[in-house]
Amino acid sequence: IRFQCGGRCPPYKEEPVMSYCTREDLLERLSAVGLRYVVDDDNDGSATSSEENTTLDAGIASAEAEIDAALAAHGLAPLADPNDWLRQRAIDLAVERVVVRKGQFAPASFADAAQRSRAWLEEVRQGKRRIPGLAYTKATDRAPGEARVINP
């Protein structure tokens, strides 16, 4: 690779990819008490911010992987600027992941939301559902295997 910068090229810096959701999003859904409950591994009634952050980050990473898998079928993953629809899917998936990480069952409200989000993401992957507000390119304007229709 030849660079056109006269030998004084700035160091390569990879742009960070924005997360689909944040720790604050998960905390809002779980509440401080709920977060403490699912993070408190030693059952002493407290959790450090490091434990909380590690747990929330793992949930977010898991949700991002599921979303990226659905988007990858259309060459859209990862998105640098996710929208609110994707943010809500990420919150649903990440919260469920955080709650069930110790083998516990998720409350029905969390489990149902995560299941609905997975079903919608599967429809996105199959080309049956479009993500609201996302501009699709020509290559993703039709579902995989769908015939192109031309008006005479």
Side-chain angles (χ1 to χ4, degrees), residues 42-117:
D42 57 6
N43 296 320
D44 67 354
S46 67
T48 66
S49 62
S50 176
E51 291 171 320
E52 290 177 357
N53 291 342
T54 299
T55 301
L56 294 177
D57 290 347
I60 290 169
S62 176
E64 288 176 351
E66 286 191 59
I67 292 170
D68 285 347
L71 298 178
H74 305 287
L76 298 172
L79 291 178
D81 189 20
N83 65 20
D84 190 58
W85 190 86
L86 288 171
R87 185 175 72 84
Q88 293 301 323
R89 304 299 65 82
I91 293 168
D92 292 343
L93 297 171
V95 163
E96 183 199 45
R97 174 68 176 204
V98 166
V99 171
V100 302
R101 72 183 185 86
K102 295 188 296 185
Q104 299 174 346
F105 290 101
S109 60
F110 294 156
D112 292 347
Q115 183 59 34
R116 180 185 62 238
S117 287

